[in-house]
Amino acid sequence: MPAHAADEAVATLGGETMGTTWSVRLAAARNTDLHALHAGIQARLDRVVTQMSTWDATSDISVYNRANAGAWQRIPDKFHRVLTCAVQIAEASDGAFDPTIGSLVGLWGFGADAAIDRAPSSTEREVARGHVGWRRIEIRGDELLQPGGLRLDLSAIAKGFGADCVVDYLRAAGISGALVEVGGELHGIGRKPDGTPWRVLVEAGAEEIDHSLEPRVLALDGVAVATSGDRWHHYTRRDEHGDERRYTHTIDPRSGAPVEHAPVAVTVIARDAMHADAWATALTVLGETAGLALAERHGLAVRYLGRDGDGRLRERMTDAFRAHLAQ
């Protein structure tokens, strides 16, 4: 046990942000002003909202989405950083991840622009797809061009980035050990006062009652983890023919429709939660076979949870993911 351990304790803070919750467990001296830390964390997350939330009509992203064709808009540094990362992952995933998916998100009844209570027709979908395309993004210095009708949606990357912002703030505040969670995305740094790492259980399917899979535990020290998949986001809605169908929340930008036969869960470990968050979405869209092949080529730490023909859970993981499993 470190010599300073007796002077530290694990404190827990929490709040709300981005339509979800956040929590932080941190190793702090017993006289630490936790109220000040809480306020600082909330302020960093609020800043992400004011820049990247489509639910806030005054946010930078909302102003951009309403801008006229040909308008250049100055974007803050954090917005710029997230959008640049999003474009890089869009290119690496051949469009399975696309930050310009906003028109489709609203069309399928999600997000701030949800407008219908039924699945869109094929004609409506094609019209919306005409406004989607990450290659239309043009950044010049700190300015972003609105080419016309482009609607950004960073919801599949912003929560992860928010977790990273909290980690940066805590480090600057002198906190060397913490486990940060924002809407399910996790970023761990340092260790607990007793010298042990922050350990988390990899999420599995809600229906796992056969206990056929070995619990997977990760030690997070300087890495982040994000999970996406069919378990968390789906709904039942009538399609254009009037038949009820189950739709996943994850939309494939390439087809303009929700992903069919989505994995139960896709978990990604990365150096920061921003990358883990975005890659989890991209790999959900790609599916198990193509996603694992891409993950191996890029050296990504990825675990897929799917189902066999008899409904039993099945996992497949890359060597990079296996290397992170706690011993």
Side-chain angles (χ1 to χ4, degrees):
M1 182 181 294
H4 61 75
D7 299 324
E8 289 188 337
V10 174
T12 302
L13 304 175
E16 297 181 354
T17 186
M18 304 183 214
T20 185
T21 60
W22 64 265
S23 66
V24 173
R25 297 180 64 206
L26 55 91
R30 298 179 188 277
N31 61 352
T32 298
D33 186 345
L34 296 178
H35 292 290
L37 281 180
H38 187 284
I41 292 169
Q42 191 67 60
R44 269 62 181 180
L45 292 170
D46 289 348
R47 193 171 302 161
V48 176
V49 170
T50 61
Q51 294 184 19
M52 299 173 229
S53 173
T54 56
W55 293 89
D56 182 352
T58 65
S59 69
D60 293 284
I61 196 170
S62 293
V63 171
Y64 172 82
N65 286 344
R66 294 194 304 268
N68 295 325
W72 286 90
Q73 179 177 325
R74 183 183 177 280
I75 55 176
D77 176 67
K78 286 181 171 54
F79 191 136
H80 189 289
R81 194 187 322 168
V82 172
L83 185 58
T84 299
C85 176
V87 170
Q88 291 170 347
I89 294 178
E91 182 174 15
S93 66
D94 197 23
F97 182 87
D98 194 324
T100 69
I101 202 173
S103 297
L104 289 169
V105 171
L107 184 68
W108 282 97
F110 298 118
D113 297 323
I116 59 175
D117 57 4
R118 58 171 174 78
S121 67
S122 55
T123 300
E124 292 171 322
R125 193 167 71 199
E126 286 305 308
V127 170
R129 283 185 65 197
H131 297 295
V132 176
W134 64 271
R135 290 185 176 87
R136 299 179 68 204
I137 293 175
E138 186 175 344
I139 302 174
R140 183 182 63 190
D142 62 353
E143 291 187 313
L144 177 63
L145 174 67
Q146 171 58 268
L150 198 67
R151 298 190 67 82
L152 294 176
D153 188 310
L154 300 174
S155 58
I157 191 172
K159 289 194 297 294
F161 179 71
D164 297 335
C165 288
V166 173
V167 165
D168 291 342
Y169 165 72
L170 292 174
R171 281 176 168 148
I175 302 298
S176 60
L179 179 63
V180 176
E181 179 266 333
V182 178
E185 323 305 357
L186 295 157
H187 191 156
I189 57 169
R191 301 203 163 214
K192 292 184 282 187
D194 63 4
T196 60
W198 305 97
R199 294 174 181 265
V200 299
L201 183 67
V202 179
E203 296 182 82
E207 310 86 0
E208 185 179 0
I209 58 175
D210 56 13
H211 304 291
S212 58
L213 296 179
E214 178 183 349
R216 300 301 187 182
V217 178
L218 302 174
L220 301 186
D221 184 354
V223 293
V225 60
T227 301
S228 180
D230 182 65
R231 168 194 166 186
W232 291 271
H233 305 295
H234 61 264
Y235 65 83
T236 300
R237 183 162 289 176
R238 294 192 181 278
D239 62 19
E240 58 182 311
H241 304 295
D243 300 322
E244 280 200 349
R245 291 185 57 188
R246 186 176 188 269
Y247 294 99
T248 177
H249 193 173
T250 304
I251 297 173
D252 186 339
R254 304 164 303 177
S255 68
V259 176
E260 292 192 21
H261 312 299
V264 173
V266 181
T267 301
V268 179
I269 304 169
R271 66 181 182 274
D272 57 47
M274 173 174 66
H275 283 83
D277 194 5
W279 270 118
T281 296
L283 293 168
T284 296
V285 171
L286 286 169
E288 187 174 311
T289 301
L292 279 171
L294 180 66
E296 292 288 6
R297 289 198 301 273
H298 286 271
L300 301 176
V302 177
R303 173 190 187 248
Y304 273 89
L305 191 67
R307 291 196 178 278
D308 290 325
D310 60 3
R312 290 174 66 85
L313 290 171
R314 174 194 68 246
E315 72 171 352
R316 295 175 66 189
M317 66 183 76
T318 63
D319 291 339
F321 188 95
R322 196 178 301 276
H324 281 282
L325 294 176
Q327 300 301 315

